[in-house]
Amino acid sequence: MVQAYILIQTEVGKAATVAEAIAGISGVTLAEDVTGPYDVIARVEASNVDDLGRLVIAKLQDVPGITRTLTCTVVHV
């Protein structure tokens, strides 16, 4: 299982709408609107890195209002 945090920038005033929309996507375990340089942070899970990439590119980045994402993969050292 691969887990990651997705840091998301949105159009002005769209953070709550984006967080609500991505919370319903399969693989997203948490989505919250936040303050700071990013507007939404989502925690996601996928079976492997390729599936994680598909989740971000094909599903998350397709949500209206998202302008940029940054994927931070969780590592266990």
Side-chain angles (χ1 to χ4, degrees):
M1 181 70 62
V2 177
Q3 299 172 324
Y5 289 94
I6 312 298
L7 310 179
I8 302 166
Q9 292 178 335
T10 69
E11 296 171 0
V12 174
K14 300 288 185 178
T17 304
V18 167
E20 184 178 332
I22 64 174
I25 295 174
S26 178
V28 175
T29 61
L30 179 68
E32 296 184 299
D33 46 327
V34 297
T35 60
Y38 293 92
D39 303 305
V40 176
I41 296 178
R43 184 169 172 115
V44 300
E45 294 181 347
S47 58
N48 57 54
V49 174
D50 291 334
D51 286 344
L52 175 64
R54 282 189 281 278
L55 172 63
V56 172
I57 293 169
K59 294 183 181 177
L60 290 180
Q61 290 182 351
D62 201 35
V63 171
I66 291 179
T67 58
R68 184 176 187 163
T69 63
L70 175 66
T71 302
C72 303
T73 306
V74 174
V75 294
H76 301 282
V77 181

